[in-house]
Amino acid sequence: MTSTTSSTPGTRSAAIVGAGQTGVTAALGLLDAGFDVTLYSERDQRALRDDVPATGTALEFGEVQQAESALGLDSYTGRAPRHTGLSVRIAGPGPERPELISFDGTFDGYVGVAVDTRLKADERLTEFRRRGGNFVVEAVTPETLDGIAAQHDLTLVATGKAGLVDLFGVDSARTVYDEPQRRLLALTVGGLGAGREVFAHRSPAGGAHSLFSIVADQGEAWWGPYLHKDVGWTWAFIGWARPGSDWEQRFAAADSAESAHRIVQQLYRDYLEWDLPEVLATRHLSEDPHSWLKGAVRPVVREGVGFTASGHAVGALGDTAVAHDPVAGQGAQGGLVQAQRLVAAAAVHDGPFDAAWLGARYAEFLAYRAEAAAKVTRLFLSDPEFGEIGNAFFAAAAVHPKFASALVGLLHRPQPFAEIESADDAVAYISRITGEDAGELLAKFAPAGRFARSEYQAELASA
């Protein structure tokens, strides 16, 4: 099935396989750059919006919003709840779960927005078709991709972690893990506002700051305000369970939005009681049976160029190129930055879009962001290789508000972490950010002792 609106074709043509937010963003950008663009999807537009879950929370920060603005696209900062910081709590392992680290990092000069990927892709697909883009609903196989690539000057594959991903070999030098590091459970809920009274025990900003909690032997949990495609302002949860943990067993039992919601609420009763009242106030979204998701992501960096059977070069885009564990929120950001950079380069290129050109653009993207983003993801996954660095960073954040903002700022711009290779580098970075001697600053660290507990129910009762 093909949907086409008449327009004056450009002098060059592009094909993009995959109509998620990254693929359709690149399609719109190339269309505006004068390309005749065909976008392929195995699902029609309604199914893309309503028959699949959102691919994570897609929390995006300033650098990505700038990339979207450069493409003339809505970055949703005027429509979605705005995240102005990140509140972090870290508890130790074992039945006692000592409460160790507490800090609140404020986003400096930028905000975050978490937007349902189905909403963003749907709105951009509508605009793509309105402007004259060609939207073809068919399942593209390696065999049919060969013909598509033969007919277009530039072909990009943005089918995510499945589909045509095997066309692009794994970059073993940049891929650290041979299996997923966490099992995931994601859920969108209603019933909770985003005012200062919500999660007020975590931050004076209340609901404007998202929450990140770590239980050392179990995993991580994140809450943040979210723009759902149908319900609007909601809250999103995503949990990461360590292999072999109790959390992993609980997440595996989820089989519906309702059961996922029960699992999350019980998780907070048993492990994260400091935030329990707000979590108990939430409701699962009966309006959206796909408002939950479970699974696992192996962090993988692939070769950026693949070849069809006849030797046509095609480029990997988004999760097809680099798959991040979502613990540091780098997946959606990386894909959109890559799309914007590819569009900008293609718009001024007057030669063939061959393997050399595609490879050079991918190498630039890896150096500009993706390698640093993968490294920051490993830091937030508590990778043992970064154990000393992580200990110093999180302790410094608990002591000094300026470093707390710098640490959470790595989610926005991971590039500063690329140069940090050792504990000595970490100490130097702490000194540079805070203007204080890092040794003296770290000597001030003391365990939190007991986190502040929510009084949200009392707040409701007195309202």
Side-chain angles (χ1 to χ4, degrees), residues 162-459:
L164 301 168
V165 70
D166 289 339
L167 286 172
F168 306 95
V170 173
D171 184 338
S172 58
R174 292 185 171 93
T175 298
V176 177
Y177 306 114
D178 58 7
E179 61 185 359
Q181 298 301 289
R182 299 289 190 272
R183 295 289 167 178
L184 310 176
L185 180 65
L187 176 69
T188 306
V189 296
L192 192 64
R196 291 182 179 273
E197 75 281 359
V198 178
F199 295 114
H201 62 295
R202 299 274 302 225
S203 164
H209 283 198
S210 48
L211 287 64
F212 187 64
S213 300
I214 301 173
V215 177
D217 57 350
Q218 296 295 325
E220 300 82 19
W222 178 89
W223 280 98
Y226 182 73
L227 185 66
H228 183 270
K229 68 182 180 70
D230 299 317
V231 181
W233 283 38
T234 50
W235 279 79
F237 164 85
I238 184 166
W240 295 263
R242 287 179 173 270
S245 66
D246 177 50
W247 286 20
E248 182 182 45
Q249 295 181 36
R250 296 186 189 211
F251 289 3
D255 58 10
S256 67
E258 187 173 7
S259 70
H261 186 235
R262 287 195 303 268
I263 288 166
V264 171
Q265 289 188 322
Q266 191 61 49
L267 192 79
Y268 274 74
R269 287 189 181 94
D270 296 340
Y271 287 95
L272 303 155
E273 67 275 10
W274 50 84
D275 296 332
L276 181 59
E278 280 88 346
V279 176
L280 291 179
T282 62
R283 65 171 181 86
H284 77 277
L285 298 184
S286 58
E287 303 92 331
D288 179 11
H290 302 290
S291 58
W292 73 286
L293 178 70
K294 70 178 181 180
V297 178
R298 177 194 173 198
V300 174
V301 179
R302 294 186 175 272
E303 303 292 344
V305 184
F307 296 91
T308 68
S310 298
H312 302 291
V314 297
L317 179 63
D319 287 346
T320 305
V322 182
H324 296 286
D325 185 293
V327 72
Q330 296 304 304
Q333 299 192 87
L336 292 169
V337 168
Q338 185 191 13
Q340 187 271 325
R341 291 174 66 87
L342 268 171
V343 167
V348 298
H349 181 60
D350 61 2
F353 298 99
D354 54 14
W357 186 88
L358 289 167
R361 303 292 77 72
Y362 187 57
E364 291 168 357
F365 169 64
L366 290 175
Y368 173 71
R369 185 182 179 99
E371 290 179 328
K375 191 173 177 182
V376 165
T377 299
R378 293 176 63 196
L379 175 70
F380 277 81
L381 281 171
S382 303
D383 188 307
E385 183 175 328
F386 299 121
E388 285 189 83
I389 295 171
N391 290 340
F393 274 16
F394 282 92
V399 174
H400 202 295
K402 192 170 185 179
F403 194 78
S405 293
L407 178 55
V408 301
L410 295 176
L411 307 178
H412 158 58
R413 290 198 73 254
Q415 290 88 337
F417 193 56
E419 304 302 320
I420 297 172
E421 300 290 348
S422 67
D424 288 342
D425 293 339
V427 166
Y429 183 66
I430 292 168
S431 295
R432 185 163 69 251
I433 293 296
T434 63
E436 299 184 16
D437 179 87
E440 294 178 2
L441 188 151
L442 290 169
K444 299 175 185 177
F445 171 75
R450 180 173 171 81
F451 302 147
R453 263 55 180 175
S454 172
E455 298 180 357
Y456 182 62
Q457 295 293 359
E459 182 78 25

